[in-house]
Amino acid sequence: MTHPAPPWKNKALFTPGPLTTSQSVKQAMLTELGSRDFGFIEVIQSIREDLLKIGQVAQAGYTAVLMQGSGTFGIESVISSTIAEEGHLLVIINGAYGKRIQQIAQILKIKNTALEFPENELPSLEQIERCLRQDPEITDLMVVHCETTTGLYNPVEQIGKLAKKYDKNFIVDAMSSFGAVPIDVAGWQIDFLVSSANKCIEGVPGFSFILANQSSLEKTRGRARSLSFDLYAQWRGLESNGQFRFTPPTHTLLAFRQALDELEEEGGIEGRMRRYQHNFRILREGMRRLGFQEYLPAEMQGWIITSFLFPQSPRFHFETFYQKLNDLDFVIYPGKVSNADCFRIGNIGRLFEQDIRALLWAIDHVCREMELNLKE
Ligand SMILES: *Cc1c(COP(=O)(O)O)cnc(C)c1O
């Protein structure tokens, strides 16, 4: 089979990442830079400073570390290089991304305990507290903020309070929320927060970043289980000469610099949140009108991504539905919920009301073609 010849057609991505990016973000990548170029080192420095500002921790004893690779690489970096050899990780799970955390710990042979909850429920704070009280061996606690499986927000602030009451390190996967959902990194007592270039900040894929409480990070020296993922060494490298230890994703960093400027122009987290919330409301209203139903109860549904239940119609086949939408240049995403058949539609990335309305038009069109007859 031959692959389609470039230039590729631009499709609208209604996915959890990579996302649709602006023309200007893509254009920022048209320059080749040496990794030791002074201008480039300044770009890295300004990105680190801006990330601290977005997290409102520029004056709160935090530092930002950039790590090559996708978001999972950043998570693996924190897990593999901040938990002590004799450490024990408590993972709170209510979706596929929580499960992935436990999988990383298991592969790394890090002692771990999982507290698992249904994917349409928030974790029980009582159960978390009981676990922390009964098992003094636990050293670290980790949770996903926006569980991208469903789109719910976990109660990170309350979980952080418990982590600190029992004197645990607190690690948060805020991959799909940082930049578009307010997070009080210091106030919620987060030691390590992980997110990546290609989610709500609307850059292109290529690196993840970690906002680390500096005194917590300082204690992790020598704990790394791998050379490439060594968070402490990466931080020391960035601090000492402003550079990555190994080849930096230069083009991605230039795109990210532009994406940060565009986030600022949009009004920062508040502005971006407003656009995504608006996208979400238009989507939910339109999908309900077409006869679709969300997986989560309304009060738990966030504005990042929505899981919709497969409709009842015997003529519905997800692969056909997906392919027909794809042929119209709209990319949606398969579900990840383990106990219900769902597909997902993201509101994040360079998407506006007109894009959501165009998607709704396409979904209506495909439903008619498939003769689903969802609307009585
Ligand atoms: C996207 C995402 C990840 C993983 O990101 P990759 O870039 O695919 O490695 C991890 N956690 C959450 C919550 C995510 O949304």
Short mmCIF file of all heavy atoms in Angstrom, two decimals, residues 157-188:
data_model
loop_
_atom_site.label_atom_id
_atom_site.label_comp_id
_atom_site.label_asym_id
_atom_site.label_seq_id
_atom_site.Cartn_x
_atom_site.Cartn_y
_atom_site.Cartn_z
N GLU A 157 -7.27 19.27 45.08
CA GLU A 157 -7.01 20.08 46.28
C GLU A 157 -7.21 19.25 47.55
O GLU A 157 -6.35 19.23 48.44
CB GLU A 157 -7.93 21.30 46.28
CG GLU A 157 -7.71 22.17 47.50
CD GLU A 157 -8.54 23.45 47.48
OE1 GLU A 157 -9.48 23.55 46.65
OE2 GLU A 157 -8.25 24.33 48.30
N GLN A 158 -8.34 18.54 47.61
CA GLN A 158 -8.64 17.75 48.82
C GLN A 158 -7.67 16.58 48.96
O GLN A 158 -7.27 16.22 50.07
CB GLN A 158 -10.08 17.22 48.76
CG GLN A 158 -11.14 18.27 48.99
CD GLN A 158 -11.58 18.94 47.69
OE1 GLN A 158 -10.78 19.09 46.76
NE2 GLN A 158 -12.83 19.35 47.62
N ILE A 159 -7.30 15.98 47.85
CA ILE A 159 -6.35 14.86 47.91
C ILE A 159 -4.98 15.37 48.36
O ILE A 159 -4.27 14.73 49.14
CB ILE A 159 -6.29 14.12 46.54
CG1 ILE A 159 -7.65 13.49 46.23
CG2 ILE A 159 -5.20 13.04 46.55
CD1 ILE A 159 -7.79 12.93 44.81
N GLY A 160 -4.62 16.58 47.89
CA GLY A 160 -3.36 17.20 48.32
C GLY A 160 -3.32 17.43 49.82
O GLY A 160 -2.29 17.23 50.48
N LYS A 161 -4.46 17.84 50.37
CA LYS A 161 -4.53 18.06 51.83
C LYS A 161 -4.23 16.75 52.57
O LYS A 161 -3.49 16.75 53.56
CB LYS A 161 -5.94 18.53 52.23
CG LYS A 161 -6.18 19.99 51.96
CD LYS A 161 -7.31 20.53 52.86
CE LYS A 161 -7.54 22.00 52.54
NZ LYS A 161 -8.73 22.21 51.68
N LEU A 162 -4.81 15.65 52.07
CA LEU A 162 -4.57 14.35 52.71
C LEU A 162 -3.11 13.95 52.55
O LEU A 162 -2.48 13.46 53.49
CB LEU A 162 -5.48 13.28 52.10
CG LEU A 162 -6.97 13.42 52.42
CD1 LEU A 162 -7.77 12.35 51.68
CD2 LEU A 162 -7.20 13.32 53.93
N ALA A 163 -2.56 14.16 51.35
CA ALA A 163 -1.16 13.79 51.11
C ALA A 163 -0.26 14.49 52.14
O ALA A 163 0.64 13.87 52.72
CB ALA A 163 -0.75 14.17 49.69
N LYS A 164 -0.52 15.77 52.38
CA LYS A 164 0.36 16.52 53.28
C LYS A 164 0.07 16.21 54.75
O LYS A 164 0.99 16.21 55.57
CB LYS A 164 0.23 18.02 52.99
CG LYS A 164 0.79 18.40 51.63
CD LYS A 164 2.26 17.98 51.50
CE LYS A 164 2.61 17.68 50.07
NZ LYS A 164 4.03 17.33 49.85
N LYS A 165 -1.20 15.93 55.06
CA LYS A 165 -1.53 15.55 56.44
C LYS A 165 -0.71 14.32 56.84
O LYS A 165 -0.28 14.19 57.99
CB LYS A 165 -3.04 15.25 56.53
CG LYS A 165 -3.52 14.85 57.91
CD LYS A 165 -5.05 14.76 57.96
CE LYS A 165 -5.51 14.14 59.26
NZ LYS A 165 -6.96 13.84 59.21
N TYR A 166 -0.49 13.42 55.88
CA TYR A 166 0.27 12.20 56.17
C TYR A 166 1.70 12.28 55.63
O TYR A 166 2.38 11.28 55.53
CB TYR A 166 -0.49 10.98 55.63
CG TYR A 166 -1.78 10.76 56.40
CD1 TYR A 166 -2.96 11.35 55.98
CD2 TYR A 166 -1.79 10.02 57.58
CE1 TYR A 166 -4.14 11.20 56.70
CE2 TYR A 166 -2.97 9.86 58.32
CZ TYR A 166 -4.13 10.45 57.87
OH TYR A 166 -5.29 10.30 58.60
N ASP A 167 2.10 13.50 55.25
CA ASP A 167 3.50 13.76 54.89
C ASP A 167 3.99 12.95 53.68
O ASP A 167 5.06 12.34 53.72
CB ASP A 167 4.39 13.48 56.13
CG ASP A 167 5.74 14.16 55.99
OD1 ASP A 167 5.84 15.14 55.24
OD2 ASP A 167 6.71 13.68 56.63
N LYS A 168 3.19 12.93 52.62
CA LYS A 168 3.57 12.22 51.39
C LYS A 168 3.92 13.21 50.29
O LYS A 168 3.37 14.31 50.25
CB LYS A 168 2.42 11.33 50.88
CG LYS A 168 1.73 10.48 51.93
CD LYS A 168 2.68 9.54 52.62
CE LYS A 168 1.96 8.75 53.72
NZ LYS A 168 2.92 8.06 54.61
N ASN A 169 4.76 12.78 49.36
CA ASN A 169 4.98 13.56 48.15
C ASN A 169 3.72 13.46 47.31
O ASN A 169 3.13 12.39 47.21
CB ASN A 169 6.15 13.01 47.33
CG ASN A 169 7.46 13.52 47.85
OD1 ASN A 169 7.62 14.72 48.12
ND2 ASN A 169 8.41 12.62 47.98
N PHE A 170 3.37 14.57 46.66
CA PHE A 170 2.12 14.59 45.90
C PHE A 170 2.41 14.88 44.43
O PHE A 170 2.95 15.93 44.09
CB PHE A 170 1.19 15.63 46.51
CG PHE A 170 -0.20 15.63 45.94
CD1 PHE A 170 -0.83 14.44 45.58
CD2 PHE A 170 -0.90 16.82 45.78
CE1 PHE A 170 -2.12 14.44 45.05
CE2 PHE A 170 -2.19 16.83 45.27
CZ PHE A 170 -2.79 15.64 44.90
N ILE A 171 2.06 13.92 43.57
CA ILE A 171 2.35 14.03 42.13
C ILE A 171 1.02 14.08 41.37
O ILE A 171 0.11 13.28 41.64
CB ILE A 171 3.16 12.81 41.63
CG1 ILE A 171 4.38 12.56 42.55
CG2 ILE A 171 3.61 13.02 40.19
CD1 ILE A 171 5.10 11.24 42.26
N VAL A 172 0.90 15.01 40.43
CA VAL A 172 -0.36 15.17 39.69
C VAL A 172 -0.11 15.15 38.18
O VAL A 172 0.74 15.87 37.67
CB VAL A 172 -1.06 16.49 40.09
CG1 VAL A 172 -2.33 16.71 39.26
CG2 VAL A 172 -1.41 16.49 41.58
N ASP A 173 -0.86 14.29 37.50
CA ASP A 173 -0.88 14.29 36.04
C ASP A 173 -1.96 15.29 35.61
O ASP A 173 -3.15 15.00 35.68
CB ASP A 173 -1.21 12.87 35.54
CG ASP A 173 -1.52 12.82 34.05
OD1 ASP A 173 -1.60 13.88 33.40
OD2 ASP A 173 -1.71 11.70 33.53
N ALA A 174 -1.50 16.48 35.21
CA ALA A 174 -2.44 17.53 34.78
C ALA A 174 -2.30 17.73 33.27
O ALA A 174 -2.44 18.84 32.75
CB ALA A 174 -2.16 18.83 35.52
N MET A 175 -2.03 16.61 32.59
CA MET A 175 -1.72 16.67 31.16
C MET A 175 -2.77 17.44 30.37
O MET A 175 -2.44 18.34 29.61
CB MET A 175 -1.65 15.23 30.63
CG MET A 175 -0.79 15.06 29.42
SD MET A 175 0.93 15.30 29.81
CE MET A 175 1.27 13.92 30.88
N SER A 176 -4.04 17.05 30.54
CA SER A 176 -5.07 17.59 29.66
C SER A 176 -5.81 18.78 30.28
O SER A 176 -6.79 19.25 29.73
CB SER A 176 -6.07 16.50 29.29
OG SER A 176 -6.71 16.01 30.45
N SER A 177 -5.33 19.29 31.42
CA SER A 177 -6.03 20.41 32.05
C SER A 177 -5.17 21.66 32.19
O SER A 177 -5.69 22.78 32.16
CB SER A 177 -6.56 20.00 33.42
OG SER A 177 -5.54 19.45 34.22
N PHE A 178 -3.85 21.48 32.34
CA PHE A 178 -2.98 22.63 32.60
C PHE A 178 -3.07 23.64 31.45
O PHE A 178 -2.87 23.29 30.29
CB PHE A 178 -1.53 22.18 32.80
CG PHE A 178 -0.61 23.29 33.26
CD1 PHE A 178 -0.60 23.68 34.59
CD2 PHE A 178 0.22 23.93 32.35
CE1 PHE A 178 0.23 24.71 35.02
CE2 PHE A 178 1.06 24.96 32.78
CZ PHE A 178 1.06 25.35 34.11
N GLY A 179 -3.40 24.86 31.77
CA GLY A 179 -3.53 25.90 30.74
C GLY A 179 -4.97 26.27 30.45
O GLY A 179 -5.23 27.31 29.87
N ALA A 180 -5.92 25.41 30.84
CA ALA A 180 -7.33 25.69 30.53
C ALA A 180 -8.27 25.38 31.68
O ALA A 180 -9.48 25.55 31.56
CB ALA A 180 -7.77 24.92 29.29
N VAL A 181 -7.71 24.90 32.79
CA VAL A 181 -8.50 24.68 34.00
C VAL A 181 -7.64 25.27 35.13
O VAL A 181 -6.46 24.92 35.23
CB VAL A 181 -8.74 23.17 34.28
CG1 VAL A 181 -9.61 22.97 35.51
CG2 VAL A 181 -9.37 22.49 33.07
N PRO A 182 -8.20 26.18 35.93
CA PRO A 182 -7.37 26.77 37.00
C PRO A 182 -6.84 25.70 37.96
O PRO A 182 -7.60 24.84 38.40
CB PRO A 182 -8.34 27.73 37.72
CG PRO A 182 -9.43 27.99 36.73
CD PRO A 182 -9.57 26.73 35.92
N ILE A 183 -5.54 25.74 38.21
CA ILE A 183 -4.90 24.81 39.15
C ILE A 183 -4.04 25.65 40.09
O ILE A 183 -3.16 26.37 39.62
CB ILE A 183 -4.00 23.79 38.41
CG1 ILE A 183 -4.82 22.95 37.42
CG2 ILE A 183 -3.28 22.87 39.41
CD1 ILE A 183 -3.97 22.03 36.55
N ASP A 184 -4.29 25.56 41.37
CA ASP A 184 -3.47 26.29 42.34
C ASP A 184 -2.33 25.36 42.78
O ASP A 184 -2.43 24.67 43.80
CB ASP A 184 -4.38 26.71 43.51
CG ASP A 184 -3.63 27.53 44.55
OD1 ASP A 184 -2.41 27.74 44.39
OD2 ASP A 184 -4.28 27.97 45.52
N VAL A 185 -1.27 25.34 41.98
CA VAL A 185 -0.21 24.35 42.15
C VAL A 185 0.35 24.36 43.58
O VAL A 185 0.47 23.32 44.23
CB VAL A 185 0.95 24.59 41.14
CG1 VAL A 185 2.04 23.53 41.29
CG2 VAL A 185 0.41 24.58 39.71
N ALA A 186 0.67 25.55 44.09
CA ALA A 186 1.25 25.65 45.44
C ALA A 186 0.17 25.44 46.50
O ALA A 186 0.37 24.68 47.45
CB ALA A 186 1.92 27.01 45.61
N GLY A 187 -0.98 26.08 46.32
CA GLY A 187 -2.06 25.99 47.30
C GLY A 187 -2.59 24.56 47.44
O GLY A 187 -2.99 24.14 48.51
N TRP A 188 -2.58 23.81 46.35
CA TRP A 188 -3.03 22.42 46.39
C TRP A 188 -1.89 21.48 46.80
O TRP A 188 -2.05 20.27 46.78
CB TRP A 188 -3.61 21.99 45.03
CG TRP A 188 -4.84 22.74 44.63
CD1 TRP A 188 -5.49 23.72 45.33
CD2 TRP A 188 -5.59 22.57 43.40
NE1 TRP A 188 -6.58 24.18 44.61
CE2 TRP A 188 -6.67 23.48 43.43
CE3 TRP A 188 -5.43 21.74 42.28
CZ2 TRP A 188 -7.60 23.59 42.38
CZ3 TRP A 188 -6.36 21.84 41.25
CH2 TRP A 188 -7.43 22.76 41.30
#
